[in-house]
Every structure is written in C-alpha cells, then in structure tokens.
Amino acid sequence: MTLRRRVGMAAGAAVAVAVILMAVISYLVVRDQLEGQVTNALRAQASAVQQHPNIGSFLPSIPASAGGPAPYAQLLLADGTVRPIEGNLSLPVHPQDLAVAAGNAPPYTSDVNIGGSHLRMITFQIPGDFSGQTVAIQLARPLGTVDHVLRMLRLILLVLVVGGTGLAL
C-alpha cells in the first residue's frame, strides 16, 4: 500500500471517529436536556404542592408556560394505601416509594412503563398526615414526545454518521 493511500485512510478514519463522537455527544446532550425539562416540571409542581398541600380534590399546579400540571397523580400513605387524585393510571408503588411516604427517604424520580406508556414519576412527602399516617404524593408525566424526538434524532444522526464516514473514507 502506498504512503498516499495510508495517509488518506488514516485521515478518513480520524474524520470518521470525529463524526461518530460528535453524533454521540449531540445525542446525549439533547436527551439530557429533553428529559431534564420533564423532570424540572415535575419538581416545580412538587414544590408547589409541598408549599400548599391540599389533600383532596385538587393539587396546586404550575402554569402551562412551565410545563403545566402533571396529568397523573396519586396519594400514597405510609402503609401502602393508594388514592388516585388525577388521571386514569395507577402508578406503581415500589419499596422506595413507601420509604418516602414514611419519611425515611428523600424525594426521587424514576421512569416507569404502564400499559405501553413511558412516564417519568416523582415521589415526595408532603407535610401533615392523612388518617394518622404520613403521606407522599406521586406525580407522573408522559415521556412519549421525548422518546419520539430521540428516535428521530437517532435516525438522523445514524444517516449523518454513515454518510460522513463514507465521504471521509
């Protein structure tokens, strides 16, 4: 193999590596930003609920410009009793959720799949009690639009990586 061909192959390989790295970094940054927006909206509503808890017919919400209220919410008692507040999905209850309700764990977020829906859920304790028990609230938002954007981004980046690598080589 001639020196010219070896240098060309090395340069093409370097460009291919750079294109792949940029695609991976771009995807990770966009994913973190999109999922972070959903998490921030959940945390904002959790903060509003903690400042003005009203267990019953409604929960304080955040304005639409900040993401609007979570479409799914339920009350979780320390004994594991669940009382729906908003939406028609029953959110899952894990041991960590019960620990939050009992006051033994900090608030946390998690991703759950319910009936084919991908949701981001936050579980946090609220002040006071309900029927003599400490109480947590679970709020959830769908991640379907985020997942759709990420699928499209993966496809676009794949095309760019294959095309860029092909051109470089």
Side-chain angles (χ1 to χ4, degrees):
M1 183 180 294
T2 66
L3 178 62
R4 182 177 182 176
R5 185 167 289 239
R6 283 186 279 173
V7 169
M9 294 292 278
V15 169
V17 168
V19 168
I20 291 169
L21 280 174
M22 289 308 295
V24 168
I25 290 169
S26 298
Y27 177 80
L28 294 175
V29 168
V30 170
R31 184 193 69 192
D32 288 346
Q33 288 294 315
L34 291 174
E35 290 179 351
Q37 289 174 356
V38 174
T39 301
N40 289 340
L42 282 171
R43 287 182 179 152
Q45 188 173 5
S47 178
V49 171
Q50 286 175 321
Q51 290 173 6
H52 305 287
N54 180 12
I55 301 170
S57 60
F58 79 96
L59 291 175
S61 64
I62 57 176
S65 62
Y72 307 108
Q74 68 185 20
L75 184 75
L76 175 62
L77 302 179
D79 69 359
T81 303
V82 173
R83 305 225 174 159
I85 298 173
E86 198 68 44
N88 57 357
L89 287 180
S90 179
L91 301 173
V93 176
H94 299 103
Q96 189 171 1
D97 298 310
L98 294 173
V100 171
N104 299 326
Y108 81 101
T109 59
S110 61
D111 288 356
V112 295
N113 287 301
I114 304 169
S117 296
H118 185 204
L119 305 169
R120 169 84 31 104
M121 182 175 75
I122 187 168
T123 304
F124 59 96
Q125 189 178 33
I126 60 172
D129 63 29
F130 187 83
S131 300
Q133 296 185 59
T134 55
V135 179
I137 299 285
Q138 292 178 298
L139 302 174
R141 291 179 170 276
L143 288 173
T145 55
V146 170
D147 292 340
H148 176 73
V149 168
L150 292 175
R151 271 192 304 276
M152 294 304 296
L153 181 61
R154 280 192 302 266
L155 179 63
I156 291 167
L157 290 174
L158 178 64
V159 169
L160 289 174
V161 164
V162 170
T165 302
L167 283 173
L169 292 174

